[in-house]
């Protein structure tokens, strides 16, 4: 199965804790984009809180890896996160631009890398 992804690789001294000011906005934008924004605010807040507990401790958060046209993945072995899809018809450019803008506004140093390959985790 072919995987398409956009990676946000944290650079320099930027780390997970630096995502704290914008993580809620990133998650909300993703859930709205994939049509999975919970109707109940409490459920959305639970997703935020689960991730923020790790982010505030500068640990890898869970992300959002449930079924949907895009997933937000934090790999175990790299200081990065990425958007992943299995559909070449899913346009990730809008989410890439939005997340890039949020990270830049928070002063997070990063670079983006795009992949489309079959041997990806």
């Amino acid at each position: 199965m072919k995987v398409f992804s956009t990676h946000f690789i944290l650079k320099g001294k930027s780390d997970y804790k630096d995502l704290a000011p914008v993580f809620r906005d990133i998650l909300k934008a993703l859930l709205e984009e994939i049509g999975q924004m919970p109707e109940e605010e409490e459920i959305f807040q639970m997703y935020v809180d689960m991730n923020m507990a790790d982010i505030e401790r500068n640990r890898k958060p869970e992300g959002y890896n449930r079924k949907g046209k895009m997933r937000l993945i934090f790999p175990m072995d790299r200081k990065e996160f990425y958007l992943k899809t299995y559909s070449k018809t899913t346009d990730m450019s809008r989410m890439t631009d939005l997340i890039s803008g949020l990270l830049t506004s928070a002063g997070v140093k990063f670079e983006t890398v795009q992949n489309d390959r079959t041997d990806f985790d």
Side-chain angles (χ1 to χ4, degrees):
M1 179 174 287
K2 201 155 186 142
V3 174
F4 303 89
S5 59
T6 300
H7 299 252
F8 298 87
I9 302 166
L10 303 179
K11 296 304 224 177
K13 295 184 180 187
S14 291
D15 215 329
Y16 294 125
K17 67 182 177 345
D18 301 315
L19 302 177
V22 294
F23 182 79
R24 179 183 179 87
D25 295 332
I26 291 171
L27 185 59
K28 182 177 182 184
L30 173 71
L31 293 175
E32 288 175 345
E33 179 72 21
I34 65 175
Q36 291 188 1
M37 185 65 178
E39 290 182 26
E40 298 174 21
E41 175 64 25
E42 294 82 19
I43 294 173
F44 173 66
Q45 191 59 48
M46 177 190 67
Y47 294 149
V48 171
D49 291 346
M50 286 172 33
N51 284 282
M52 288 300 291
D54 289 323
I55 288 171
E56 290 169 349
R57 290 177 180 88
N58 204 31
R59 296 188 310 221
K60 179 197 94 60
E62 177 184 333
Y64 189 83
N65 196 12
R66 289 153 184 83
K67 282 189 175 184
K69 65 181 180 179
M70 261 187 279
R71 296 175 182 186
L72 177 64
I73 310 292
F74 286 82
M76 296 291 285
D77 59 346
R78 300 180 299 278
K79 197 168 72 169
E80 71 175 73
F81 64 95
Y82 59 93
L83 297 173
K84 174 171 98 171
T85 184
Y86 295 100
S87 169
K88 67 168 70 173
T89 61
T90 299
D91 181 10
M92 291 192 292
S93 62
R94 195 175 93 176
M95 281 302 300
T96 299
D97 292 345
L98 187 140
I99 292 172
S100 293
L102 289 168
L103 294 174
T104 299
S105 71
V108 176
K109 304 292 183 215
F110 70 98
E111 71 174 316
T112 58
V113 175
Q114 308 242 332
N115 285 313
D116 59 337
R117 50 193 249 213
T118 54
D119 61 341
F120 200 74
D121 58 0

